[in-house]
Amino acid sequence: MNAPLSRPKSDLRRALKTRIDQHFSESGRDPRGGRALHAKAVILLGWAAISYGVLVFAPIPWWLGVLPAMSLGVAMAGIGFNILHDGGHGSFATRRGLNRLAARSCELLGLSSYFWHYKHNVWHPGFANVNGLDIDIDIAPLGRFSPHQPRRWWHRWQHLYMPFVYGLLEVYWTFWSDPVAIVTSRVGHHEVPRAPLREHLWFWGAKLWFVAIAIVVPLLMHDPLTWLMGFGVVMFTAGFVPSLVFQLAHVVEEAEFPEAVDGALDGEWAEHQLRTSVDLAPNNRWLTWYSGGLNFQATHHLFPAIAHTHYPALSRIIAEVAEEHGIPYRCTPSLLGALRSHFRHLRRLGQA
């Protein structure tokens, strides 16, 4: 299901681009990454390295190891939010090679930057919240995220068990989804161009490296039960945090779930982004810093090639332009409010 979908044209996207270009022209700032973003990358990589060192090599009791294990998982998610994400969109730095290196931090987390590119850069932004095309909302049969997906009897409890599913996604991506994808050249309903030899070498080399640091080295230092507990906490945290952040931006009551009819979507591309993506907690500086600006999801969808450090300012411009064109700009004021909206949405879709 890779056929392009046609959309009617409007001047919304052109107006947004004009206003954003004007913002950067007047401010004199570079749209791409700067020192603040690079300093954050150093902090996150150091955070992960220290957490790993304490977890694996420090002589601490097993029960105390839960803390550095959680810390490592949170740091891994932060690397994905800030380094991998901006690098993959070419906004981490002005130099192309540095952006590619940042995108390769995906392999540092046990994942594949090759398949991440197609999942996140190609299918998700173009078809956000479209059933059968947006892979991020397709977790059948475990959950029902869109009203256009079939309901199963167990979905009535999905608002209760889904957090545990989120925590399993890092293990699923690392040890099942990616290997299956590189062998079959398919991810869900989508076909992927066959990976060249270079990507195969990167893929399998990175998987072996991750197995070495996540399994082999810790087992040399700890008994199998202690390792399993630490490994489980790290992987659960590293899967739960990014999964929840992404779902709070799309799988909520405020977002729309359009259907494609005869190969067309109702609404121009920029309008589609504003109707299917929701910004959240814009005044929460810690969330903005840690999530790499992904709490400004609508802003990111509209301008993915701009570094996330600019999103708070851009979101205000986008809200103004959207209002001028009669398009809703959706923003949940608080993180708690977004959490409530997400789980209410899951509960409603799970009912008969």
Side-chain angles (χ1 to χ4, degrees), residues 168-315:
L168 298 176
L169 288 180
E170 175 74 10
V171 173
Y172 172 74
W173 291 330
T174 302
F175 297 107
W176 177 255
S177 178
D178 283 351
V180 168
I182 201 163
V183 171
T184 64
S185 295
R186 293 189 66 87
V187 178
H189 301 295
H190 297 275
E191 294 182 2
V192 187
R194 187 167 296 279
L197 177 60
R198 179 185 67 256
E199 291 297 335
H200 273 272
L201 295 176
W202 262 105
F203 182 93
W204 295 112
K207 292 297 182 185
L208 289 174
W209 179 86
F210 187 79
V211 168
I213 66 164
I215 300 176
V216 177
V217 173
L219 279 175
L220 294 175
M221 306 298 297
H222 302 278
D223 63 85
L225 187 59
T226 301
W227 163 79
L228 183 61
M229 184 191 73
F231 179 78
V233 172
V234 171
M235 298 298 279
F236 185 92
T237 306
F240 176 82
V241 173
S243 299
L244 189 61
V245 168
F246 282 114
Q247 301 310 335
L248 292 183
H250 294 288
V251 186
V252 287
E253 293 172 314
E254 295 82 1
E256 295 183 22
F257 294 83
E259 278 193 292
V261 180
D262 297 328
L265 283 171
D266 183 16
E268 182 263 349
W269 180 87
E271 181 180 344
H272 177 87
Q273 308 309 320
L274 288 170
R275 292 186 181 277
T276 58
S277 305
V278 180
D279 288 356
L280 65 101
N283 297 321
N284 189 326
R285 293 185 178 182
W286 159 248
L287 181 62
T288 300
W289 185 92
Y290 172 71
S291 71
L294 288 177
N295 55 321
F296 293 94
Q297 189 74 195
T299 306
H300 165 64
H301 271 241
L302 289 168
F303 296 98
I306 296 178
H308 71 260
T309 48
H310 300 291
Y311 286 174
L314 300 193
S315 67

Side-chain angles (χ1 to χ4, degrees), residues 103-155:
R104 287 295 187 185
S105 65
C106 196
E107 277 75 12
L108 187 67
L109 307 177
L111 307 175
S112 167
S113 57
Y114 182 77
F115 294 112
W116 183 89
H117 166 76
Y118 286 99
K119 289 187 288 186
H120 187 78
N121 288 13
V122 179
W123 302 324
H124 174 61
F127 312 121
N129 281 15
V130 180
N131 182 43
L133 293 170
D134 183 2
I135 197 170
D136 283 359
I137 64 168
D138 183 10
I139 60 168
L142 291 175
R144 183 181 188 228
F145 283 177
S146 166
H148 308 300
Q149 294 170 341
R151 178 189 173 275
R152 310 299 181 190
W153 62 266
W154 55 84
H155 292 159

